[in-house]
Amino acid sequence: MMAGRTRGRPRLGADEPNRREVILAAARELFADRGFERTTMRAIGSRAGVDPALIHHYFGNKDALVVEALRPDVDPAEVFGGLSAFLPQPGTEFITRVLHVWEDDGPRRDRAVALLRIAVTHPEIGEALSVFFLGIAHTALGECVSDDQRDLRLALIAGQIVGLVLLRHVIRQPDIAGAGLDDLAVRVGPVIDHYLSAQDPDVSGLRDAAR
């Protein structure tokens, strides 16, 4: 009598290191062809030639898989290193680098735009993408930001990046989508500098007026 297949972790072959990348490649193709909602784990497994259980082993669920498959393959330390050399105003250089991450690699941009579209309506994916953008802000500008309300400042910078990318590449607002990279960097850079070091405004008068 043949022993039945045991439950739990799927049995992996000698080519285990490659299977993860094969799954990601299959997921990218299907998400691009069918969209997020119509792509199933079973279909990804079929395209990749693996048991769907192996996909769950590596990635957990479809939300986690789409984040891993579509997020920009960017090393923030490599791309954004050395911005402290541009103090006291590193914002323009930072935005220039952010924009070039999106502009210089078409396939990477297309994957990231697809992920942004999904994130708008899927909170778990949106949270993972938020962590990614926050990671960029922390890595790039962690040495440049003031200590007071440090996390809030970096979160505002991450929000500025997300808003700019959404308007340029997803919503395609004509003025921003049609603007040159240098022009955008010069205009948005000072906003980043403000978030990095500006003193908190005195809002006591506004609070009193609101009572």
Side-chain angles (χ1 to χ4, degrees):
M1 181 175 178
M2 295 180 63
R5 181 175 175 178
T6 59
R7 294 185 179 182
R9 175 177 170 142
R11 178 173 294 177
L12 306 179
D15 60 345
E16 176 183 357
N18 297 324
R19 291 189 178 185
R20 192 173 186 277
E21 293 306 316
V22 171
I23 292 168
L24 288 173
R28 291 184 188 111
E29 292 172 2
L30 287 172
F31 287 136
D33 292 344
R34 304 180 183 180
F36 178 75
E37 300 294 348
R38 294 193 298 148
T39 297
T40 65
M41 298 288 258
R42 184 176 297 276
I44 294 169
S46 178
R47 176 71 63 94
V50 302
D51 189 319
L54 187 63
I55 305 177
H56 287 284
H57 164 67
Y58 281 131
F59 303 101
N61 58 33
K62 191 167 75 168
D63 285 356
L65 174 58
V66 74
V67 171
E68 189 69 17
L70 298 183
R71 69 180 175 185
D73 51 341
V74 174
D75 180 351
E78 179 180 345
V79 175
F80 297 102
L83 285 174
S84 59
F86 294 86
L87 285 170
Q89 296 176 317
T92 297
E93 177 65 18
F94 172 67
I95 292 297
T96 298
R97 296 188 193 185
V98 167
L99 292 172
H100 275 289
V101 165
W102 291 78
E103 304 287 336
D104 293 349
D105 187 322
R108 178 170 63 194
R109 179 179 65 248
D110 292 343
R111 292 199 304 269
V113 168
L115 184 57
L116 279 169
R117 292 183 186 278
I118 297 168
V120 170
T121 55
H122 292 76
E124 184 176 336
I125 297 172
E127 182 179 352
L129 196 59
S130 173
V131 170
F132 171 77
F133 281 109
L134 275 171
I136 288 179
H138 276 269
T139 300
L141 298 168
E143 297 181 356
C144 306
V145 64
S146 295
D147 289 335
D148 63 300
Q149 295 192 304
R150 173 189 175 88
D151 289 341
L152 175 59
R153 292 175 185 273
L154 291 171
L156 288 168
I157 291 169
Q160 191 73 37
I161 304 170
V162 174
L164 182 59
V165 171
L166 279 171
L167 286 171
R168 185 170 175 85
H169 295 290
V170 178
I171 298 173
R172 296 199 60 78
Q173 197 282 328
D175 296 307
I176 294 178
L181 300 190
D182 291 341
D183 187 26
L184 283 175
V186 167
R187 292 174 182 272
V188 179
V191 179
I192 302 300
D193 295 330
H194 175 81
Y195 287 148
L196 286 172
S197 60
Q199 297 299 309
D200 290 337
D202 182 1
V203 296
S204 57
L206 294 176
R207 291 171 180 163
D208 291 340
R211 290 173 181 172

